Every structure is written in structure tokens, then in C-alpha cells.
Amino acid sequence: MSEPGVVNQKQAALVARIQSGQARVGTIGLGYVGLPLAVEFASAGLTVRGFDILEDKVAAINRGESYVKDVPAARVAEHVAAGRLSASSDFAGLAECDAIIICVPTPLSKTKDPDLQMVVDASEAIAQHQRPGQLIVLESTTYPGTTEELIQPILERGGLKAGVDFFLAFSPERVDPGNPKFHTRNTPKIIGGVTPACSAAAQALYSRAIDTIIKVSSTRTAEMVKLLENTFRSVNIGLVNEVALMCERLGVDVWEVIEAAASKPFGFMPFYPGPGLGGHCIPIDPLYLSWKMKTLNYRARFIELAGEINSEMPEYVCERVALALNDQKKAVNGSRILIVGVAYKKDIDDVRESPALDIINVLRARGATVSFHDPFVPSVRFGDQVEMSVELMPAVREADAVLIVTDHTGLPWAEVVKSARLVVDTRNATRGIQSPNLQKL
Ligand code: SAJ
């Protein structure tokens, strides 16, 4: 254990190494958060070692390749060739890092409770190779209290103390996959340290790679900021999905209503109805907060209600397809249905938690023959079957119904509507196109 006075020397030495560019940064988890972050720190001139348990990711990076759409392979290759970026599945290398950032998934368990096993595994790996003077930052989205209640004890088990012998902070990731404008460097970064010395060390690190740093007073505050951001989205998407259900009963075009409401220059922010909530963040993160609140005997009603409405949308969409087929004297049973777009949102290739998968399963359970076309997703695994994306127009012409689930940019929507017997559009991809065979949410 160090004397109180030493903490400044440890922190000063760490900050000096960061500012001189000598610091070695480790990122645990090389997915859509960890890889862009690793590349950004390498671009800032620091030496970065990415750690992942998946050998294929490690090998791809060391070959100078990128499997994350928002990270050009050329950037990976450049830093690997220059020796600034490398990857490994040997976590012993953590001992050489001055700063370690945990970017592993925080999914839900089968019982819809937080599953922090990957965060615990990463923390245990750090503890196993820990040395005084290191900065450890958790970026994975989690409930308020995780950093200090779960990670800190693991890292202090060997006798080192947070804020004295090592530095510990939480800094939420804010990656928006496919966003052409905002990426790691130009998205403001929230930082909350266990102690002010921890915050200062984290600020020194991130300001090397990110333009705007915002320090908050604690790790819990930083953890809650992220959950507010994502709960805000989930609740507003739930609201607008319910508005779509209301507008359908009122015989009013919900897309026209939202577009007109969005003309208000203040006090309104448009969200859009859709086939349901996909991705590994918005459907999941708010449940981390409602779970934590239950342990404090509080029921987070907005989160629960939004979750109910959003998770009912795939079923509602299937009902709309059934009614539209019925108008043409057809049943879902025996119909050929083409799903256009299976990614969870437009212009990305990720199908995790995509509502399209629920919709396909429901329609198949009702006896439909369902195929899909997605220019970003060449194949999807359904159980032990891998199904391929079909060519668009022949499938459109053959289908009894075409269901637009993801409004990828650049698809020939007018031609789809012209050639199809029936189109149900859940994303207003066909805005401005009129046809008796076209229905929208
Ligand atoms: N969605 C709607 N209606 C909307 C907006 C979104 O139905 O008006 C659906 C999308 O189709 C998608 C889901 O909600 O299925 C989530 O969409 P999203 O735009 O929130 O995208 P994510 O989950 O990829 O990324 C979000 C980030 N997105 C934005 O801020 C726009 C951001 O909230 C977080 O940085 C990120 O989650 C995260 O990692 O937490």
C-alpha cells in the first residue's frame, strides 16, 4: 500500500507517459466499440494492444483487416504496419499496459437480468496481471454502481487501492453504428472517476483521442448518463409506436403527423415508428436500469411500458400483413412473403435483436413461405440453417406480399412498389409513392 503522498507521483507518472505518447493502451473487447477506440488511440500516436478471446478477430486485426464497417481496413493496416496497433488473446499482455479500457458486451441473461459475466472475466484478467499505476476504465453500458460495487473490489483484492495505487473510472461508449457524421473522435466523452485523481487520469487519456471530454462527479453519474440516453430513446420510440397504433385507428397518416410536428423549431424531437426495437443497446440497456431500481424497491414504469409496446411491434406488423393479404382474399398460410431488410436499422449489417427475425419466425409459424433480401446481410442463421439473401426484383415479382422492415438507402423502392402484388412498409421507405397495393404503418 502506498503512502497518500505517493498517489500524485503515480498519477503524475501515468499522465506524463500518456502525454508523452509513451503510454501503452489496452482495449479488452474488439467489437464495434473496442476496435474504433483502439484505432483512435493508435491514430493519436499511442501504442495500442487489443485483447479479445476470439482468435479470428485477433488474427484479422494483425493482418491489417477490419470487420467493423465504420472502421476502414486501411486505418487498421496502417497502424498495424507502423507497430502502433496489435491484437492478442493472451491477457498476460495487460501487465504491460498503462491504461486498460473494458469494452465487452453487457447482454441480458435468459431471465432478462443483467449478465455482467464478460465484465467480471475482463476484471479478473486485469487483476491477475495488475501492477501499480495503471488506469482502468469500464465503457460497457451497465447499471449505476457496477464500477464501484463489482469491479473495484476485484481490482483491490490484491491489496492495491483505487485512487491511490491504481485509477478507476467509467466512461460510456456512444458509438452510433453507421452514423456518417459522428464517430469516436468527434463524439463528446463522459468521464466519471472513483476519485478526482482517477477522473484526471482518465481525462488525460481520452483527451489524446477525443475532441471533447466532459467530467462528471462520480462513476455512478457517468453510468446513469448513458442509461438516460438510451432510455430516452427507448421510451420515445415506444411513444411513437403507440402513436402509430392510434393513427391507424384514427385513419390518420402517422408519418405525415410526425413530419408536421417536426416543423416545430423547439421542444420537439422526431422519432419514427417501426417494426420493433433492434440492436444490442436500446432494447437492453434500459432493462439494466429497471433491474437496478427493482433492487431499490422502485418500479421504473416508463421503461417497462416502452418495452411492452416496442416488443409488441413485430406481432402488430404481422397482423398488418395478414389484414393486407386478406384484402386480396389471401391467407398468410401458403403465401410467399419477401422481407426487404433484416438488419436492425438502415445501412448497417447487424441483425442482433433485429425485429425482422421475430417477424420471419411469426410469419413462418403461420404457414407463410418467407425469404429475405438485404444488401448488407448476405446470410442469416436460423437455428442450424443458414439462409441466403435472395435477389430483390425476381423475389418481389414472385411474392404475394413484400414487407419492408429495414429502409436501407438506395434500394429501388418505386420499382418494388410497381412490381409487387402487395407492399407493407414499416419504415416509410416508400414516402411519396402512391399505389393501391401499398400500405404503411
Ligand atoms: N428506431 C426506431 N425509431 C426511431 C429510432 C430508432 O424504431 O426513431 C429503432 C431502430 O430501427 C433500431 C433501434 O430502434 O432497431 C435502435 O436504434 P438506434 O438508432 O438507437 O441505434 P443503435 O442501437 O445502433 O445505437 C444507439 C445509438 N444511436 C443513436 O444515438 C442514434 C446511441 O443511442 C448509442 O450510442 C448506442 O445505441 C449504444 O451503443 O448505446
Side-chain angles (χ1 to χ4, degrees), residues 32 173 175-176 226 230 233 272 277-278 281 344-345 427:
Y32 80 97
E173 57 90 359
V175 174
D176 181 21
K226 176 65 180 178
N230 283 9
R233 293 187 66 72
Y272 300 96
L277 217 45
C281 310
Y344 75 79
K345 70 175 184 179
R427 297 286 195 171

Side-chain angles (χ1 to χ4, degrees), residues 145-262:
T146 301
T147 304
E148 295 186 22
E149 296 165 10
L150 184 71
I151 298 181
Q152 187 172 343
I154 294 174
L155 300 179
E156 290 186 332
R157 211 164 40 206
L160 297 181
K161 183 152 177 45
V164 178
D165 303 304
F166 68 95
F167 307 99
L168 180 60
F170 182 82
S171 178
E173 57 90 359
R174 280 177 161 176
V175 174
D176 181 21
N179 189 314
K181 187 174 169 205
F182 292 105
H183 40 80
T184 301
R185 172 166 280 281
N186 68 353
T187 301
K189 198 83 165 83
I190 304 294
I191 286 171
V194 171
T195 68
C198 299
S199 294
Q203 178 172 26
L205 174 71
Y206 281 105
S207 43
R208 288 286 314 215
I210 295 172
D211 299 339
T212 309
I213 306 294
I214 297 165
K215 272 201 295 188
V216 294
S217 58
S218 68
T219 60
R220 280 179 173 76
T221 304
E223 289 159 338
M224 189 60 180
V225 165
K226 176 65 180 178
L227 290 177
L228 171 59
E229 290 169 11
N230 283 9
T231 300
F232 167 80
R233 293 187 66 72
S234 168
V235 169
N236 278 286
I237 293 164
L239 168 66
V240 82
N241 279 330
E242 182 163 57
V243 167
L245 302 183
M246 294 189 234
C247 285
E248 202 265 331
R249 284 162 177 74
L250 289 166
V252 167
D253 180 339
V254 66
W255 306 98
E256 183 187 5
V257 168
I258 295 167
E259 199 167 330

Side-chain angles (χ1 to χ4, degrees), residues 275 278-279 338-360 364 370-382 387-390 403-408 411 413 427:
L338 173 68
I339 305 289
V340 179
V342 290
Y344 75 79
K345 70 175 184 179
K346 73 176 181 180
D347 302 345
I348 65 165
D349 61 358
D350 196 341
V351 296
R352 280 178 291 185
E353 306 289 323
S354 174
L357 306 183
D358 299 327
I359 289 167
I360 290 171
R364 283 178 171 164
V370 186
S371 57
F372 73 89
H373 168 83
D374 190 311
F376 288 82
V377 183
S379 66
V380 175
R381 175 174 289 281
F382 289 90
E387 297 182 27
M388 310 308 287
S389 167
V390 298
L403 176 56
I404 301 173
V405 176
T406 313
D407 49 332
H408 289 308
L411 286 178
W413 300 118
R427 297 286 195 171

Side-chain angles (χ1 to χ4, degrees), residues 6-338:
V6 174
V7 64
N8 293 330
Q9 281 171 0
K10 282 200 178 64
Q11 188 208 36
L14 173 62
V15 170
R17 283 182 58 79
I18 291 169
Q19 288 171 343
S20 68
Q22 287 176 292
R24 301 175 70 85
V25 180
T27 58
I28 302 179
L30 293 169
Y32 80 97
V33 175
L35 182 56
L37 194 62
V39 168
E40 215 56 67
F41 277 118
S43 300
L46 297 179
T47 304
V48 184
R49 168 73 57 90
F51 296 88
D52 203 296
I53 55 173
L54 298 178
E55 288 294 351
D56 59 338
K57 285 188 172 171
V58 166
I61 290 171
N62 288 331
R63 286 196 302 268
E65 295 166 11
S66 171
Y67 42 79
V68 173
K69 268 206 173 326
D70 294 340
V71 180
R75 286 191 79 192
V76 176
E78 173 204 345
H79 295 311
V80 168
R84 275 192 301 271
L85 175 63
S86 64
S88 171
S89 56
D90 178 1
F91 285 68
L94 289 168
E96 296 155 29
C97 297
D98 298 285
I100 300 167
I101 305 171
I102 305 171
C103 307
V104 296
T106 46
L108 291 176
S109 67
K110 292 212 180 336
T111 51
K112 297 273 184 231
D113 295 326
D115 175 0
L116 287 169
Q117 191 54 54
M118 287 181 263
V119 170
V120 169
D121 291 348
S123 305
E124 294 288 358
I126 296 168
Q128 202 181 341
H129 306 289
Q130 196 175 5
R131 57 177 175 73
Q134 286 179 317
L135 165 66
I136 292 103
V137 183
L138 174 64
E139 288 217 358
S140 306
T141 304
T142 184
Y143 60 79
T146 301
T147 304
E148 295 186 22
E149 296 165 10
L150 184 71
I151 298 181
Q152 187 172 343
I154 294 174
L155 300 179
E156 290 186 332
R157 211 164 40 206
L160 297 181
K161 183 152 177 45
V164 178
D165 303 304
F166 68 95
F167 307 99
L168 180 60
F170 182 82
S171 178
E173 57 90 359
R174 280 177 161 176
V175 174
D176 181 21
N179 189 314
K181 187 174 169 205
F182 292 105
H183 40 80
T184 301
R185 172 166 280 281
N186 68 353
T187 301
K189 198 83 165 83
I190 304 294
I191 286 171
V194 171
T195 68
C198 299
S199 294
Q203 178 172 26
L205 174 71
Y206 281 105
S207 43
R208 288 286 314 215
I210 295 172
D211 299 339
T212 309
I213 306 294
I214 297 165
K215 272 201 295 188
V216 294
S217 58
S218 68
T219 60
R220 280 179 173 76
T221 304
E223 289 159 338
M224 189 60 180
V225 165
K226 176 65 180 178
L227 290 177
L228 171 59
E229 290 169 11
N230 283 9
T231 300
F232 167 80
R233 293 187 66 72
S234 168
V235 169
N236 278 286
I237 293 164
L239 168 66
V240 82
N241 279 330
E242 182 163 57
V243 167
L245 302 183
M246 294 189 234
C247 285
E248 202 265 331
R249 284 162 177 74
L250 289 166
V252 167
D253 180 339
V254 66
W255 306 98
E256 183 187 5
V257 168
I258 295 167
E259 199 167 330
S263 66
K264 184 179 177 190
F266 51 85
F268 182 79
M269 175 180 179
F271 284 83
Y272 300 96
L277 217 45
H280 27 282
C281 310
I282 306 305
I284 289 165
D285 300 343
L287 299 181
Y288 266 67
L289 179 56
S290 55
W291 176 87
K292 176 69 179 179
M293 296 321 295
K294 272 188 211 130
T295 69
L296 302 172
N297 294 322
Y298 184 83
R299 208 176 127 234
R301 286 156 291 175
F302 272 106
I303 292 175
E304 289 178 11
L305 180 59
E308 265 172 51
I309 293 171
N310 290 328
S311 52
E312 281 164 10
M313 290 311 285
E315 191 78 38
Y316 170 71
V317 164
C318 292
E319 272 314 299
R320 291 293 302 273
V321 172
L323 290 171
L325 280 168
N326 192 56
D327 290 347
Q328 296 188 356
K329 299 192 180 1
K330 289 179 185 166
V332 170
N333 196 344
S335 286
R336 290 158 303 181
I337 300 176
L338 173 68

